Amino acid sequence: MKKKILIVEDEIRIARVISLELTHEGYEVEAVDNGKEALKRAKEAKWDLILLDVMIPEINGMEVLRRIRLEDAKTPIILVTARNSIFDKVNGLDHGANDYITKPFEMEELLARVRSAIRASSFQIQNANTVRTIDDLEVDDSARVVVRAGVQIELTKREFDLLVFMMDHPNQVLTRDQLLNEVWGFDYAGETNVVDVYIGYLRKKVDNGFSHSLIHTVRGVGFMIKGLKNEHQSKA
């Protein structure tokens, strides 16, 4: 069955080119040109991916993203933006975007990001009923709930994905490049220090105020998650 992609883009020429390329790649494509119609179509149909331009009329892309995520936490969304500031990118990711791409972009880069987002989403669906535990930390994929010592912890999507990947590789030193490739995508073109920034976010939420630290830095190499029990459990 063909994967369905919703394109939200108000520049007709760009929307047409993207639609043609994605159709040629074997996707089923629909395009809308404003935020109001995007929200309507997002609710009416099931999409394998939404390609969402930020600067669109009626309702801007960030607000469309926010409203979609209130009801749908799983559909992959890639933001398309003409803005190149770190703030806009981080803001989009923190509001639930899976990835972003900045105009102007090469079509091959866009196609690669689409493939990566859909592949990651399919993997998450296959493993959606997994509950991971390390010491007193428990992560439930299906509910996207994180609890430590009975306290529920709120994480952004990127923080959650980073934590899950680390918990899938307990007691292993993970390099920055590994984490970038697996959590941000192999074609991520930003600074590698974004890993350090998000590790810092996780530590504040997952470790600070609890009995002991689970996230550790291996100087000059990378990071690892390790419990006092030195064991990891994963159950369906």
Side-chain angles (χ1 to χ4, degrees), residues 62 79 81-94 100 102 184 188-194 197-198 201:
M62 287 293 186
L79 287 182
T81 176
R83 301 173 179 175
N84 198 29
S85 76
I86 294 298
F87 173 80
D88 288 321
K89 295 172 181 176
V90 171
N91 191 33
L93 294 173
D94 282 347
Y100 62 83
T102 305
W184 277 261
Y188 175 78
E191 298 294 328
T192 57
N193 66 359
V194 71
V197 171
Y198 273 82
Y201 293 159

Side-chain angles (χ1 to χ4, degrees), residues 38-45 50 63-75 77 95 144:
L39 286 173
K40 179 174 179 289
R41 294 300 296 134
K43 292 180 179 180
E44 291 175 343
I50 298 175
E63 180 62 16
V64 170
L65 170 64
R66 188 189 70 81
R67 294 189 192 184
I68 290 175
R69 285 296 182 240
L70 289 175
E71 300 180 8
D72 176 4
K74 297 182 179 180
T75 301
I77 298 177
H95 276 78
R144 294 188 73 83

Side-chain angles (χ1 to χ4, degrees), residues 12-76:
I12 296 175
R13 183 185 61 82
I14 294 177
R16 183 180 297 119
V17 170
I18 294 174
S19 294
L20 288 172
E21 290 288 344
L22 290 174
T23 300
H24 180 71
E25 291 291 314
Y27 299 106
E28 182 179 335
V29 178
E30 181 178 332
V32 296
D33 62 3
N34 65 78
K36 185 176 180 180
E37 187 66 19
L39 286 173
K40 179 174 179 289
R41 294 300 296 134
K43 292 180 179 180
E44 291 175 343
K46 178 175 173 56
W47 304 95
D48 294 289
L49 183 134
I50 298 175
L51 193 61
L52 176 62
D53 189 66
V54 173
M55 301 299 290
I56 50 176
E58 298 199 29
I59 304 174
N60 70 60
M62 287 293 186
E63 180 62 16
V64 170
L65 170 64
R66 188 189 70 81
R67 294 189 192 184
I68 290 175
R69 285 296 182 240
L70 289 175
E71 300 180 8
D72 176 4
K74 297 182 179 180
T75 301

Side-chain angles (χ1 to χ4, degrees), residues 106-166:
E106 295 293 334
M107 189 55 63
E108 286 303 318
E109 179 186 4
L110 175 63
L111 295 176
R113 289 180 183 274
V114 167
R115 290 192 296 267
S116 178
I118 291 177
R119 184 169 59 248
S121 176
S122 298
F123 178 80
Q124 289 173 2
I125 290 172
Q126 292 170 6
N127 294 276
N129 295 320
T130 299
V131 176
R132 299 167 177 81
T133 61
I134 291 180
D135 288 358
D136 55 354
L137 176 66
E138 182 173 292
V139 176
D140 185 336
D141 266 6
S142 59
R144 294 188 73 83
V145 170
V146 178
V147 176
R148 182 161 188 193
V151 178
Q152 185 166 329
I153 300 169
E154 296 295 328
L155 299 181
T156 66
K157 182 183 183 305
R158 191 70 69 179
E159 291 165 355
F160 185 89
D161 292 344
L162 176 58
L163 179 61
V164 165
F165 182 73
M166 294 183 74

